[in-house]
């Protein structure tokens, strides 16, 4: 059912939140657009400007690694300036109130942690771009160190095993993180309310989680300003701005 307008949507969502005992939010790039981080698929989104670099190309080509790091550092001012928006803060309020055990996110921007979620309660399906990892031994590196190496030698390699360093994100063609997939599965199967926020729900396997929650008996809410692939199975669709929709739940 599509909410008639913003006010109806907020009221119906409020009723569903009040009735639920375990709520699992699932977030996509749309929750962070009001924080100044563009999404991928909207006009002006990242993909209208840059073709994504698949994992095998990153591994095989030094040029691809140089380009990948150039793009990342070009975005640094944007990521560094971003602060949690109303959507993040509303979810953090529900987390503090004990209604939300953890958030599942496709985002890589660290804003759920910045809003007050403990790191172990942010299930990152696509990793995190605020630090780097060696693709060989998995060792973590902070970005200022990587930037210094990049300025000296170009795309840097691991100081321990000489394999390439990459932002700690999951690229197309790269294996999904097993632990995050397992935890997201458990959350989707156990919750009684699942809220998909700011995702076009076209990236799989991440988009399997709303469907899984619904199939396991949870109510499903979709909040997104354009239609998504799973509106048809949702109990409530709020086709409105995320900040406007979740703003009333900040601080509750
Ligand atoms: P997407 O770009 O495919 O979809 C975002 C959706 O949010 C779109 O349908 C858009 O219309 C909607 N939206 C944007 N701003 C909104 C607002 N203020 N209110 C309501 N709706 C709004 O993003 P996705 O589904 O997350 O998938 C793309 C992939 O991109 C993800 O895997 C993620 O890893 C990555 N990504 C992450 C970030 C980030 O971390 N902030 C940014 C860009 C891309």
């Amino acid at each position: 059912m599509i909410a008639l307008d913003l006010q109806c949507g907020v009221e119906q969502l409020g009723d569903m939140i009040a009735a639920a005992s375990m709520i699992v939010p699932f977030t996509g790039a749309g929750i962070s657009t009001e924080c100044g981080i563009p999404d991928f698929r909207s006009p002006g989104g990242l993909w209208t400007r840059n073709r994504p670099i698949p994992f095998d190309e990153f591994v095989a080509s030094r040029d691809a690694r140089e380009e990948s790091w150039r793009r990342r550092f070009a975005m640094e001012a944007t990521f560094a300036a971003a602060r949690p928006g109303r959507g993040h803060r509303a979810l953090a309020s529900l987390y503090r109130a004990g209604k939300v055990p953890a958030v599942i996110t496709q985002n890589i921007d660290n804003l759920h942690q910045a809003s007050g979620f403990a790191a172990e309660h942010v299930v990152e399906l696509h990793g995190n771009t605020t630090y780097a990892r060696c693709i060989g031994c998995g060792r973590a590196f902070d970005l200022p160190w990587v930037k210094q190496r990049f300025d000296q030698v170009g795309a840097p390699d691991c100081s321990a095993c000489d394999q390439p360093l990459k932002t700690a994100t999951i690229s197309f063609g790269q294996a999904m993180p097993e632990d995050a997939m397992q935890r997201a599965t458990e959350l989707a199967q156990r919750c009684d309310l699942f809220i998909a926020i700011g995702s076009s729900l076209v990236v799989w396997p991440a988009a399997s989680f709303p469907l899984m929650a619904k199939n396991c008996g949870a109510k499903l809410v979709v909040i997104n300003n354009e239609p998504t692939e799973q509106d048809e199975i949702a109990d409530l669709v709020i086709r409105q701005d995320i900040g406007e929709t979740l703003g009333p739940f900040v601080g509750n």
Side-chain angles (χ1 to χ4, degrees):
M1 181 180 64
I2 301 184
L4 281 179
D5 56 24
L6 178 64
Q7 196 189 337
C8 288
V10 171
E11 277 171 20
Q12 289 174 73
L13 178 61
D15 291 344
M16 290 170 87
I17 287 174
S21 51
M22 177 175 162
I23 303 168
V24 171
F26 169 94
T27 61
I31 196 171
S32 296
T33 53
E34 80 168 10
C35 314
I37 302 174
D39 60 14
F40 269 169
R41 291 178 179 78
S42 295
L46 295 174
W47 278 7
T48 59
R49 287 179 271 150
N50 285 323
R51 178 188 67 89
I53 298 171
F55 185 63
D56 55 357
E57 196 179 325
F58 182 93
V59 175
S61 155
R62 181 156 189 94
D63 285 349
R65 295 198 288 280
E66 301 281 343
E67 172 61 13
S68 175
W69 279 112
R70 248 192 311 277
R71 288 182 191 176
R72 174 61 188 86
F73 292 126
M75 286 291 292
E76 179 53 16
T78 302
F79 280 114
R83 296 287 172 270
R86 288 168 290 178
H88 299 99
R89 286 186 279 127
L91 299 182
S93 298
L94 293 170
Y95 169 68
R96 275 193 299 275
K99 283 253 174 185
V100 165
V103 56
I104 306 171
T105 190
Q106 301 181 86
N107 293 345
I108 54 176
D109 55 26
N110 212 50
L111 287 177
H112 288 299
Q113 291 90 331
S115 74
F117 276 83
E120 67 264 31
H121 296 145
V122 183
V123 179
E124 295 179 318
L125 298 175
H126 297 154
N128 188 309
T129 195
T130 64
Y131 61 99
R133 262 193 204 291
C134 169
I135 63 171
C137 69
R139 190 167 153 183
F141 291 82
D142 62 30
L143 284 195
W145 185 88
V146 177
K147 176 74 166 73
Q148 204 180 17
R149 293 291 295 158
F150 181 75
D151 290 343
Q152 289 164 350
V153 300
D157 294 330
C158 178
S159 53
C161 75
D162 283 339
Q163 292 292 304
L165 300 187
K166 181 178 168 295
T167 55
T169 52
I170 305 298
S171 301
F172 283 105
Q174 192 171 1
M176 294 293 285
E178 272 175 40
D179 179 55
M181 290 296 287
Q182 180 59 35
R183 291 176 63 211
T185 300
E186 284 162 14
L187 288 162
Q189 289 175 340
R190 281 178 36 223
C191 68
D192 58 355
L193 177 59
F194 191 98
I195 311 179
I197 304 162
S199 175
S200 49
L201 301 180
V202 297
V203 179
W204 290 73
S208 65
F209 292 110
L211 182 63
M212 182 187 294
K214 178 71 184 168
N215 285 340
C216 291
K219 295 240 185 291
L220 173 63
V221 177
V222 172
I223 307 174
N224 204 60
N225 62 10
E226 62 174 20
T228 79
E229 301 273 308
Q230 296 185 35
D231 289 357
E232 261 177 37
I233 61 162
D235 297 276
L236 175 63
V237 176
I238 306 179
R239 208 166 282 165
Q240 306 282 343
D241 179 74
I242 292 160
E244 295 293 308
T245 306
L246 292 179
F249 300 95
V250 174
N252 288 345

